[in-house]
Amino acid sequence: MGYEREAGGRGMSYLELLNLAAPEAIIALAALAVLAADMFALRELELHFRLAISAMISCVGCVAAIGWMLALPEHGNVMGGIFIVDPLGQLVKIGLLVLTLFTILISLESNFTVHAGEYFALVLLATAGMMFLVSTADVLMIFISLELTSLSLYMLTAFDKRDVQSAEAALKYFLFGSMSAAFTLFGLSLLYGLSGSTSLEQIAASIRGPRLDPLLVLALVMTVIGLGFKVAAAPFHLWAPDVYQGAPAPSAAFIASGSKVAGFFVLARVMATGFKGAEGSGAWHGYLPGWVPLLAVLAGLSMVVGNFAALVQTSVRRLLAYSAIAHAGYMLIGVLAYGGSGLASLLYYSLTYGLTTLGAFGVVAVVQQQTGGDRLSDFAGLSRRSPGLAICMMIFILSLAGIPPLAGFVGKFYMFSEVLRPGSPGMGLLWLVVLAIALSAVSLYYYLQVLKQIFVAPSPGAGTWVSVAPVTQQVVLGALALAVLLLGCFPGWLVQRLAGAMAPG
Amino acid sequence: MMMDWTARNLWLIPVLPLLAAGLSALARRRHRRFSAGLAIGSMAVALLLACAAFATAVRHSGTELSRQVVNFRWFELGDGWVRLGWVLDPLTAMMLVMVCLVGLLIFIYSVGYMAHDENFGRFFCFLSLFASAMLGLVIANSLLLFFICWEVVGLTSYLLIGFWYHKPSAAAAAKKAFITTRIGDLAFLIGIVWLYGQAGTLLFYDAGQGCLDKPALAGLATQITSLGVVVPTAIALLIFCGAVGKSGQLPLHVWLPDAMEGPTPVSALIHAATMVAAGVFLVARVYPLMALTPAGSHSGAAALVVIAWVGALTAVFAASIAVAQTDIKRILAYSTVSQLGFMMLGLGVGGVAVGMFHLITHAFFKALLFMGAGSVIHGCHEEQDVRRMGGLRKFMPVTFATYAIGMMALSGVPIFFSGFWSKDEILHAAHAWSMSRWPFYLGVLGALMTAFYMTRQMCFVFFGKCRLALRQTPASEQGSVALPGIPAPEHPQVEHPAEPHESPALMTMPLAVLAFFTVTLGFLGTPAWPWVQSFLEGEHTALNVAGLWRPGVLLVMLISTVVAFTGIGLGYWLYGRDPLDLQQTDVLERRWPNLFTLLRRKYYVDEIYEWTFVGLNAWWATACDWLDRWVWEGAVELIAALVVGIGWVDRVLDEQVVNRWFDETCRSLSTSGGLLSRFQDGRVQKYLRVLGLALVVLVLLLIWGCRAS
């Protein structure tokens, strides 16, 4: 990659750094503004207004950051990869901000907390963490950003203080997360020890050799543990079902969408850049140790565990959690096709998956507010109670199942064909793709069970529930459904932008 | 070139009856007056417009405006447009007036004739539709539009022949007419397609681009088919096949006599005056194509030779059959076939004017004869056998007088009757024909027989004593059964008032009008003042009595006069002096029983067709049926059984093997899901233990790989 400005050495100006990191700064400022506004101005107001105003400030922050990036496309590389600004990173950041925006919007009608300012500030801080995560190629910076994101998300998980489940989920999440963070830190320090540098490129340069050092293997596995935890890949997924079920719905949605996009981006970058030369091979009869077979095993495991465990779930949230694990498996396949358009396919998949799962969680949130539960039976007869919501949910579920012409299908197709593309490092991974497709068929069963409840099952005691979803929710969910549909019908729009951003220079 | 209003709005003439047909189709059955009034009103307006068009054509006769064409685009086909259009020229104008006038009179007549029919409205709907199609055919400037109208005309003919469809004979006759003409139409269609392929257009006249304009004809004349026939001749003959079917020429004449099953006004309008003349009109319309000689050849146009021969043979053939018929309408039907043969002969040897003049005069007197016959049938309580009539002169004076005029015109009684002049014209042209003299001799023979059979009919119907009462006797009933070819009476009646009666004025008035035209029209085409001929050919004419004395003219006139009087005299000598009784055999039959039977059985043409074409067809159908029933169906049954067997095996496999396996798999998948999720028991200690375990296992996996490699 040729950067416009090589701000090497010690003598870099802070103004320039600020200029490059302006979007992150805007988000951080917005977080502070929300906090301040809620603390000083909004205390006396009704919760409804506090939520609305805080959300508005947050939205303004997000939109401003997006606008900044669209208006002033920057290129820059600060201190040998500690902070990188390039078109691809900016595009991913824009995607993250859009997901954050939708998360904020579906939180508008929530009633799980009275601390509106803190809630939105944490969402924004997590977003800032993710943004830093995607704009660095330095292990130290990666760890700090990961921690910023994770800590914010722990708190978001615990935000429903009246609900013991929320607290329990947060505790598990925290314990599991800090354990894996410890592993990651250990792994990263081993890397530093091996190479004497924190920069991914220099690490890659120093580890290149004919054979893998056992220490490097240890470092690799430990690094993968931390990132695998972030993206909820098996066997580091164990936290996910509990968290998705226990966390407030918008938090769960955010964990499942934005955090996942950032996690996969950084995983792909660490593997492809930092462990360049240690790929190995995951081909059926050509096993060579390296990160490719490692991720392939994780991918296969994730798909199997996610899809099978989802079959027996009765809680829609847990079902979505296992579905998320399965999707993490699919996306790991995308990581294996890391070169060029392989990354584009991964990003397309993760972004559209983020939108879809956000929408699905949004619907779950509405239904939960109406019925007080998220069991499959709570969705019975939704199509008669709230047809608009039912149609949105149908689009989300079918997209998750990978039915054309929705985005989920295009993403899967694009990604699998990228893996099998001649010249891709994942070329020998036909077995994995076959497994993925077979398990997609299995997944249809549990996805369709949700739809069966919505459209076929009779509504028990119709009329006892408030049948009208809040207008803002309906509009937001409708917009998400439309986006999923349009991205499925016209995938070229996003794919071309991703490919364009990835083009060198 | 300024176009006249009438030319631009010529389309109104066919569209008005079409509207009338559409509206009366929507009317309820009891709205009889509405339907009849609509039909007659539309026809009257059409007649006015036709007269205006005629006046326009007369005014522009001989100028460059004598042919005014309006073409329009219909739809896009390939690179070009399919175009239709209409044309106003002398030929069109003359036919328009004739069709409208005869049509109007027959419409009026029908009100009286059909008064007792419950499907009165339907009848007028069909009649209007027919008139519309016929007029459309007349004004068409595109062979395609011509063909469309031609087919609609055929359809209405079918509908009207089978108007009393509850009679099996009528239904059969309708089918016969439709199928027989369809044989000719097939060839016609092939000719059209071929012409389109060669000329690239089906418009007759299109500012020099039409297929009858000189450049296209010149282009066609140079082409020769693989068989050595010139392309235009082949096309012309194919088109002529259509005319043969429609105009009842040999060998497709068989449908026309049977078509008399329809109501008599239908016979008069469609099967005497107009539709059957459409074939003649078609030949006249595409005459330039017919008359085209191959480039560099000096012999006559081959197509015209064929037309002339077919016409001459048909004329004699049908006239000879008419001699031995006893059904009043059948005699007229064969007479029509014969006269159509004359027209074709005229076209073949003389040209458009000769044939068309006879067409026009024949339309009037044949309509007159048919309507007279209808009046007779009506007056005699649906009796059609001439042997059971007789002496009607006294009972039906008006009918008798007008019928006599028609008969004399048809027989060719000189000077005062139009038939004489038009037939004389044809004979004259045949006499002058350079190819062969035989058509002339055949024509004279036909004329002789025409006079003879018409006199015979007159004697049977109007002279002698009335034999109508004899019908009551059982013997005559048996005789009627024994007589072949005579259809059952149109309305089987319970009681028989013996006295024949004159028809109402509504029916006799049109007769009188037609009789008037029958007499006067002839003077428009005498050799002394050949106005019709010059009008059609776009020349000016003046009265020139000397034209009568030109060499050949007088001779032929004398011959035809002698022939006509010979025929009438012969007929009267045989039948008029001593009118026959029903029980007596025919005079001719006593003399030449075999020949008479041959004629009465119409040369056994129907039987021959029955044995050959129909038989072959039936045999083929039986064979196909047998094949279908035993071979193909057997194969189908076998395959079906096979498929059912496979399906059964498939089902067993599906239920017993696949489903069971699938169910088992699904169950085990579910179970495994349950096991996996049981693993998720919520204990975070266990989770973390898994984390550590995973680390160890993954590291070992990679290390083992390193050792192995």
Side-chain angles (χ1 to χ4, degrees), chain B residues 118 120 196 206 236 354 366 403 471-472 515 520 676 709:
Chain B
E118 63 174 327
F120 192 78
Y196 186 70
D206 181 22
V354 178
K366 188 50 68 68
Y403 201 88
R471 188 173 165 182
Q472 300 292 76
T520 52
L676 279 173
S709 60

Side-chain angles (χ1 to χ4, degrees), chain B residues 108-120:
Chain B
I108 293 169
Y109 174 89
S110 305
V111 176
Y113 192 86
M114 301 298 286
H116 306 300
D117 202 286
E118 63 174 327
N119 293 316
F120 192 78

Side-chain angles (χ1 to χ4, degrees), chain A residues 93-172:
Chain A
K93 279 192 248 178
I94 290 173
L96 286 172
L97 285 170
V98 168
L99 292 173
T100 309
L101 209 56
F102 277 113
T103 311
I104 293 166
L105 287 173
I106 61 171
S107 324
L108 262 181
E109 301 291 332
S110 50
N111 55 2
F112 56 83
T113 180
V114 292
H115 305 288
E118 287 91 330
Y119 179 76
F120 288 118
L122 281 171
V123 170
L124 289 175
L125 285 176
T127 309
M130 293 170 198
M131 288 166 77
F132 278 116
L133 197 57
V134 299
S135 44
T136 178
D138 188 281
V139 287
L140 206 57
M141 187 70 179
I142 287 172
F143 183 73
I144 294 170
S145 319
L146 266 180
E147 283 306 286
L148 175 57
T149 313
S150 297
L151 287 169
S152 309
L153 291 178
Y154 301 150
M155 280 185 268
L156 284 174
T157 308
F159 227 81
D160 193 352
K161 290 178 191 156
R162 293 161 299 181
D163 185 5
V164 70
Q165 262 200 332
S166 175
E168 183 193 333
L171 187 61
K172 282 179 186 166

Side-chain angles (χ1 to χ4, degrees), chain B residues 327-352:
Chain B
D327 183 296
I328 185 167
K329 284 177 74 179
R330 254 164 208 274
I331 295 172
L332 292 178
Y334 279 106
S335 159
T336 305
V337 174
S338 166
Q339 296 302 310
L340 290 166
F342 270 107
M343 291 176 214
M344 287 293 182
L345 173 62
L347 284 171
V349 297
V352 175

Side-chain angles (χ1 to χ4, degrees), chain A residues 351-412:
Chain A
L351 283 173
T352 52
Y353 170 76
L355 287 174
T356 315
T357 199
L358 252 179
F361 269 107
V363 175
V364 173
V366 174
V367 171
Q368 204 170 7
Q369 267 183 7
Q370 286 182 353
T371 67
D374 69 325
R375 314 195 68 74
L376 273 173
S377 54
D378 293 326
F379 282 75
L382 184 67
S383 65
R384 283 173 286 284
R385 276 183 283 152
S386 185
L389 216 57
I391 287 172
C392 289
M393 189 62 169
M394 181 177 79
I395 290 177
F396 298 136
I397 291 285
L398 290 182
S399 176
L400 287 174
I403 304 289
L406 301 169
F409 166 77
V410 181
K412 268 201 186 85

Side-chain angles (χ1 to χ4, degrees), chain B residues 265-584:
Chain B
V266 170
S267 308
L269 178 62
I270 301 185
H271 306 115
T274 57
M275 185 193 87
V276 290
V280 179
F281 178 74
L282 170 62
V283 175
R285 176 56 89 196
V286 297
Y287 193 78
L289 189 66
M290 300 278 177
L292 204 59
T293 49
S297 162
H298 297 291
S299 60
L304 288 182
V305 177
V306 173
I307 292 171
W309 275 106
V310 168
L313 288 174
T314 307
V316 176
F317 179 81
S320 66
I321 294 175
V323 167
Q325 298 302 310
T326 52
D327 183 296
I328 185 167
K329 284 177 74 179
R330 254 164 208 274
I331 295 172
L332 292 178
Y334 279 106
S335 159
T336 305
V337 174
S338 166
Q339 296 302 310
L340 290 166
F342 270 107
M343 291 176 214
M344 287 293 182
L345 173 62
L347 284 171
V349 297
V352 175
V354 178
M356 284 305 293
F357 185 38
H358 194 55
L359 192 159
I360 301 288
T361 57
H362 171 261
F364 284 94
F365 64 67
K366 188 50 68 68
L368 169 62
L369 284 172
F370 261 108
M371 285 155 71
S375 178
V376 167
I377 294 166
H378 201 72
C380 295
H381 314 293
E382 319 304 334
E383 180 55 70
Q384 296 200 14
D385 192 336
V386 290
R387 288 170 300 175
R388 297 211 187 91
M389 297 170 180
L392 295 183
R393 189 181 53 198
K394 295 189 280 293
F395 299 103
M396 313 174 81
V398 181
T399 305
F400 168 65
T402 51
Y403 201 88
I405 292 172
M407 170 262 172
M408 282 189 273
L410 179 55
S411 308
V413 173
I415 314 295
F416 296 109
F417 299 98
S418 56
F420 169 74
W421 297 110
S422 55
K423 203 181 286 180
D424 178 62
E425 195 78 25
I426 292 169
L427 290 177
H428 177 66
H431 187 253
W433 201 35
S434 56
M435 308 293 284
S436 162
R437 219 20 99 71
W438 273 101
F440 172 68
Y441 299 142
L442 289 173
V444 170
L445 183 60
L448 177 71
M449 285 194 285
T450 306
F452 176 73
Y453 68 69
M454 282 315 291
T455 313
R456 173 175 175 266
Q457 192 193 36
M458 282 296 281
C459 294
F460 269 125
V461 175
F462 290 104
F463 294 96
K465 55 181 196 296
C466 181
R467 299 177 292 272
L468 204 60
L470 289 174
R471 188 173 165 182
Q472 300 292 76
T473 66
S476 72
E477 286 295 332
Q478 281 169 4
S480 129
V481 170
L483 288 169
I486 296 175
E490 286 175 354
H491 294 299
Q493 275 180 305
V494 186
E495 52 188 82
H496 297 283
E499 284 282 289
H501 60 84
E502 179 61 287
S503 300
L506 205 57
M507 289 165 71
T508 52
M509 280 308 293
L511 292 178
V513 175
L514 283 172
F516 169 75
F517 281 108
T518 299
V519 174
T520 52
L521 270 180
F523 299 115
L524 293 177
T526 61
W529 191 52
W531 182 83
V532 170
Q533 289 86 331
S534 52
F535 173 58
L536 284 175
E537 277 152 20
E539 294 157 4
H540 275 286
T541 182
L543 187 62
N544 175 19
V545 183
L548 287 172
W549 318 120
R550 276 203 305 270
V553 174
L554 198 61
L555 174 69
V556 175
M557 258 162 65
L558 275 176
I559 290 173
S560 53
T561 308
V562 169
V563 160
F565 282 120
T566 311
I568 292 172
L570 217 62
Y572 187 74
W573 186 60
L574 286 177
Y575 296 97
R577 290 176 307 158
D578 178 21
L580 293 170
D581 253 356
L582 196 56
Q583 284 81 2
Q584 286 175 298

